[in-house]
C-alpha cells in the first residue's frame, strides 16, 4: 500500500471544507493542464456538507463549472426523485445550484434493471476514460466508509470485490445500509485509476473500523475499502475527523 496521507480535522464541517479546498485546487490544475475536470460523487452526510460548501457564494465561482464532468460512484436501484437516490441528494445540494452543463452530468439510471444500468454506465466510463491506466481515470473520486468497512457499494463478501474486468456492476446486497437491495457500483479497479481519491471518514462509530482498515491485517473481503490502493501517479488523501481518528496510533 502507498504511503498513508491523512488530514485529521476537528469535525465533519472541517472535513467537508478540506475536501472542498482540494477539489477546487484539483479542478484548477486539471482545467489548466487538460481543459477539463472530472469528479466522481458519493452519497452520505459529509458529502452533503461538501456539496453545500461547493455551491456556496464563497466557493461557487472558484470552479469553472462549464468544464466539469460529474459522475457517480454508486447508486441505489431507485428512480432519480426517490429519497434514497444519491443523484437526488447531489442534485438538491450541488448540481442544481452551480452552472454545470446538463450534458456533463452523468447519473446512473437506477430506475432501470440494475444489470443494464451497470452495463450502460460501464460503457460510458470506458468511452470517457479508456483502459485501466494508472492516473488515467477521474481527476477526483469521493468515497465514504461504512461501519462495516464498505465503500461505494462494495460491501463485505459481495461479488463486486472480485471484479477485475468491468468498471461498473449491478449486484444484490443482502446487508446493505438500506437492507437487502440492488446496488449499482463502480469497481475497485476503476476507482484506483483516479488521480486523487478522497475518503471522507467522520464519527466516533468509525474509529475502531478505521484503525483496523489502516493498521490491521489485509482482508478486503471483509473490509472492502482496503481494495482502494492506486498506483502512481494516483494518490489517496484520507480526510478524517477527530472522533473517527481517536483510535489511530500516533503519527511517527
Amino acid at each position: 500500500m502507498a504511503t498513508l496521507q491523512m488530514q485529521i480535522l476537528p469535525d465533519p464541517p472541517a472535513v467537508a471544507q478540506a475536501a472542498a479546498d482540494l477539489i477546487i485546487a484539483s479542478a484548477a490544475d486539471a482545467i489548466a493542464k487538460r481543459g477539463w475536470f472530472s469528479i466522481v460523487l458519493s452519497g452520505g452526510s459529509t458529502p452533503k456538507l461538501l456539496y453545500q460548501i461547493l455551491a456556496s457564494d464563497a466557493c461557487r465561482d472558484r470552479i469553472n463549472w462549464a468544464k466539469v464532468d460529474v459522475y457517480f460512484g454508486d447508486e441505489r436501484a431507485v428512480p432519480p426523485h426517490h429519497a434514497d437516490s444519491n443523484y437526488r441528494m447531489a442534485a438538491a445540494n450541488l448540481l442544481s445550484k452551480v452552472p454545470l452543463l446538463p450534458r456533463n452530468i452523468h447519473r446512473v439510471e437506477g430506475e432501470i434493471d440494475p444489470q443494464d444500468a451497470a452495463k450502460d454506465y460501464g460503457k460510458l466510463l470506458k468511452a470517457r476514460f479508456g483502459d485501466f491506466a494508472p492516473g488515467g481515470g477521474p481527476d477526483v473520486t469521493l468515497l465514504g466508509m461504512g461501519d462495516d468497512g464498505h465503500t461505494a457499494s462494495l460491501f463485505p463478501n459481495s461479488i463486486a470485490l472480485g471484479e477485475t474486468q468491468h468498471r461498473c456492476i449491478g449486484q444484490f446486497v443482502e446487508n446493505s445500509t438500506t437492507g437487502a437491495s440492488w446496488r449499482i457500483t463502480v469497481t475497485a479497479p476503476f476507482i484506483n485509476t483516479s488521480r486523487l481519491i478522497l475518503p471522507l471518514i467522520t464519527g466516533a462509530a468509525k474509529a475502531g473500523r478505521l484503525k483496523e482498515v489502516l493498521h490491521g491485517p489485509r482482508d478486503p473481503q471483509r473490509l472492502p475499502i482496503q481494495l482502494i490502493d492506486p498506483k502512481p501517479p494516483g494518490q489517496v488523501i484520507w480526510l478524517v475527523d477527530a472522533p473517527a481518528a481517536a483510535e489511530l496510533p500516533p503519527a511517527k
Side-chain angles (χ1 to χ4, degrees):
M1 182 173 284
T3 302
L4 180 63
Q5 298 186 73
M6 179 178 292
Q7 295 182 26
I8 298 177
L9 294 310
D11 51 30
V15 168
Q17 183 62 61
D21 292 341
L22 286 167
I23 289 167
I24 290 166
S26 296
D29 182 67
I31 292 168
K33 290 179 177 177
R34 296 180 292 279
W36 210 259
F37 173 68
S38 54
I39 184 168
V40 178
L41 303 184
S42 67
S45 57
T46 303
K48 181 177 179 179
L49 291 174
L50 164 61
Y51 302 156
Q52 291 169 347
I53 290 170
L54 290 173
S56 69
D57 291 342
C59 289
R60 187 187 305 112
D61 294 338
R62 297 174 64 192
I63 292 177
N64 183 351
W65 294 100
K67 296 185 176 181
V68 174
D69 249 336
V70 173
Y71 300 87
F72 287 82
D74 70 325
E75 186 56 275
R76 285 80 179 263
V78 296
H81 58 269
H82 193 280
D84 289 339
S85 167
N86 286 337
Y87 167 80
R88 180 178 186 254
M89 187 276 280
N93 292 282
L94 175 62
L95 308 182
S96 65
K97 299 181 182 299
V98 296
L100 279 159
L101 300 178
R103 67 175 180 270
N104 295 337
I105 300 171
H106 308 284
R107 73 173 183 88
V108 179
E109 293 184 291
E111 69 273 26
I112 68 173
D113 179 273
Q115 305 284 18
D116 291 338
K119 186 180 297 184
D120 291 346
Y121 213 65
K123 289 178 180 177
L124 171 70
L125 297 176
K126 182 177 182 179
R128 173 63 178 82
F129 298 108
D131 292 328
F132 293 95
D139 293 300
V140 173
T141 293
L142 300 175
L143 294 176
M145 184 189 76
D147 294 353
D148 60 356
H150 86 267
T151 193
S153 282
L154 303 172
F155 286 89
N157 301 306
S158 63
I159 60 171
L161 304 185
E163 182 56 58
T164 60
Q165 302 298 317
H166 295 98
R167 294 154 184 81
C168 186
I169 73 165
Q171 63 173 353
F172 187 78
V173 182
E174 291 287 352
N175 297 300
S176 80
T177 48
T178 52
S181 61
W182 277 94
R183 298 294 187 97
I184 303 105
T185 185
V186 297
T187 61
F190 177 74
I191 294 170
N192 284 333
T193 67
S194 305
R195 291 182 171 87
L196 176 60
I197 301 169
L198 298 177
L200 313 182
I201 315 296
T202 60
K206 308 283 177 69
R209 190 67 75 196
L210 183 63
K211 177 184 178 182
E212 192 177 14
V213 164
L214 296 178
H215 300 286
R218 179 172 169 78
D219 187 5
Q221 282 293 318
R222 190 172 63 85
L223 303 169
I225 199 169
Q226 289 184 334
L227 291 170
I228 307 308
D229 188 20
K231 293 181 172 63
Q235 61 175 327
V236 183
I237 301 177
W238 294 77
L239 301 179
V240 181
D241 76 353
E247 297 188 26
L248 296 178
K252 296 180 180 180

